[in-house]
Amino acid sequence: MSAFLDLLPDRPRRLAVLGAGTVGRALLPRLAALEPTLSLCLLATSRWRCADPEGLPAGAALAAIALAQAGPDAAPDTVQAHDGSGDLPAWFGPGDVLVDATASEALAARHARWLQRGLRVVTANKLGVGGPLIRHQQVRRQVENGAWYGDAATVGAGLPLLRCVRDLRAGGDRVSALAGVLSGTLAWLFDGYDGSTPFSARVREAVALGYAEPDPRVDLSGEDVRRKLLILARAAGQPLDAGDVQVESLLTPALLGARDAASTDAALVSLDHALSVRARDAAARGNVLRYVARLDGAHARIGLESLPLGHALAQGGACDNRVAIWSCRYDQRPLVIQGPGAGAGVTAAALLDDIRRATT
Ligand SMILES: NC(=O)c1ccc[n+]([C@@H]2O[C@H](COP(=O)([O-])OP(=O)(O)OC[C@H]3O[C@@H](n4cnc5c(N)ncnc54)[C@H](OP(=O)(O)O)[C@@H]3O)[C@@H](O)[C@H]2O)c1
């Protein structure tokens, strides 16, 4: 029996949300559904934090975000300047729930220590279990000792991917291979792309619609997909590190060399010719292009593939994620999981589901 089960506080659990960006802001209104079992006591960004051990008054967190964004002078007294170090108030302790809705390396490096302190950690930040292998192993060690770690939002924005892989293994099955479209952004970019229009225009549209990162190189590099594949592979029992994954980046030398937003935008046209040739070549064979992550045994690779229209990974549309899983049980035809796998709404809902599981 875990030592952590003895650490339940005899008061509503306190909740801390680190990160008030796209995902954090989408999470806040949804938290109301959880009261009174949980009390939001801390909200922080890398520059400020708003905290009250008795709970932030209704609406205070959202008001703090609006006011703090207007500038430090406009912020209410509950908002203090903060260095984003991840140091937590002494009153935030065992049994309390911490949500990491940032992409911070420094915070991800603290996950295992927070678990060791008895905190329940819920994360959308992939740098925890998708970062260096040693960090993943430290977190798993805490979980094996009974700590609670919710990472459903890190891959597929809450689609039951990680849960399915872990349940298969827990039931004695062995996951032999995985293949998937794991980036909602890249799924959107290649959905319906046949090379007849400039790919650069699609990228600009994705940024304008908020589907791609403000710096689209983050999506085009494949690094985000690499982290997601690492998380899935590790859940499937393959202890891979970043260097074990072969990644075909879509970045061109011009995009790699761009120094700011304006030069990145100008360099986007360098994508157009080569991708148009590949898309037209695929279309001539009745195929479509998809950016696919594959795990086969311990072999992992990510890249652009030309797939027949009827292929499981070519189905779905918009920002859908699609993952096929082969195991002893699913050896002839894979188990396929598909659905919206990106966006603030589904990601915040996935965090909320994990918060609920952490508190019941
Ligand atoms: N957006 C999506 O659709 C989506 C989907 C799935 C997963 N995710 C993941 O969810 C996480 C958040 O994404 P997002 O789109 O919300 O990012 P975002 O809009 O860039 O917001 C990030 C937030 O984290 C804060 N932050 C950074 N370092 C911090 C620190 N040391 N301490 C406290 N707060 C810190 C930032 O504060 P400052 O503004 O002060 O720097 C900002 O409020 C990322 O890991 C992302 O990969 C996002």
Side-chain angles (χ1 to χ4, degrees):
M1 179 62 67
S2 152
F4 292 99
L5 295 180
D6 302 324
L7 297 175
L8 301 178
D10 60 352
R11 53 169 169 73
R13 289 179 201 278
R14 292 187 174 118
L15 177 72
V17 177
L18 306 185
T22 313
V23 171
R25 282 201 301 274
L27 174 66
L28 290 176
R30 291 172 165 80
L31 288 173
L34 295 173
E35 288 178 52
T37 55
L38 203 65
S39 168
L40 177 63
C41 294
L42 173 68
L43 174 68
T45 70
S46 67
R47 293 161 291 134
W48 55 265
R49 84 178 180 190
C50 175
D52 185 337
E54 302 308 319
L56 296 167
L62 285 173
I65 292 176
L67 288 167
Q69 277 173 342
D73 296 341
D77 292 344
T78 46
V79 176
Q80 295 119 25
H82 181 58
D83 60 0
S85 63
D87 288 340
L88 298 169
W91 46 258
F92 195 81
D96 291 332
V97 181
L98 184 142
V99 178
D100 182 351
T102 77
S104 162
E105 172 72 30
L107 296 188
R110 287 183 172 235
H111 287 187
R113 269 178 282 159
W114 284 331
L115 294 173
Q116 195 171 21
R117 275 183 53 193
L119 301 183
R120 294 167 179 226
V121 176
V122 170
T123 183
N125 185 351
K126 292 176 269 291
L127 297 174
V129 280
L133 181 60
I134 179 88
R135 189 179 294 165
H136 162 81
Q137 288 167 335
Q138 286 162 348
V139 167
R140 291 328 298 171
R141 208 166 298 132
Q142 294 301 323
V143 171
E144 279 156 23
N145 285 336
W148 205 96
Y149 191 76
D151 55 4
T154 58
V155 186
L159 289 177
L161 295 174
L162 281 169
R163 205 183 330 150
C164 175
V165 168
R166 289 180 182 137
D167 282 352
L168 285 172
R169 289 189 72 210
D173 205 345
R174 190 180 66 83
V175 174
S176 51
L178 286 165
V181 172
L182 297 176
S183 161
T185 308
L186 292 170
W188 188 88
L189 286 171
F190 286 105
D191 182 30
Y193 173 65
D194 60 5
S196 61
T197 52
F199 193 77
S200 53
R202 296 177 81 83
V203 176
R204 288 196 189 99
E205 192 182 352
V207 173
L209 291 169
Y211 294 158
E213 295 287 334
D215 183 344
R217 291 178 297 180
V218 174
D219 297 300
L220 296 168
S221 70
E223 282 309 311
D224 186 63
V225 177
R226 186 203 303 259
R227 289 190 190 113
K228 289 174 177 170
L229 184 60
L230 280 176
I231 295 172
L232 277 172
R234 291 166 180 177
Q238 295 293 346
L240 303 186
D241 221 333
D244 299 321
V245 185
Q246 191 188 325
V247 178
E248 179 198 358
S249 163
L250 298 181
L251 293 178
T252 57
L255 278 165
L256 280 168
R259 288 168 185 265
D260 52 26
S263 53
T264 300
D265 188 70
L268 284 175
V269 291
S270 63
L271 292 167
D272 291 345
H273 178 68
L275 285 177
S276 164
V277 169
R278 286 177 77 169
R280 286 169 194 268
D281 181 51
R285 285 182 283 140
N287 286 3
V288 289
L289 292 181
R290 295 290 182 259
Y291 196 72
V292 176
R294 289 188 185 274
L295 173 75
D296 195 350
H299 185 66
R301 66 185 159 87
I302 296 167
L304 205 53
E305 296 187 11
S306 171
L307 299 176
L309 256 180
H311 192 283
L313 299 182
Q315 308 297 306
C319 293
D320 276 6
N321 279 193
R322 294 174 287 287
V323 176
I325 301 169
W326 289 263
S327 70
C328 301
R329 196 186 306 177
Y330 301 109
D331 61 341
Q332 298 300 314
R333 289 183 305 127
L335 170 68
V336 179
I337 298 173
Q338 175 189 321
V346 279
T347 307
L351 288 175
L352 192 75
D353 286 347
D354 267 348
I355 294 168
R356 277 185 34 252
R357 289 187 200 108
T359 52
T360 51

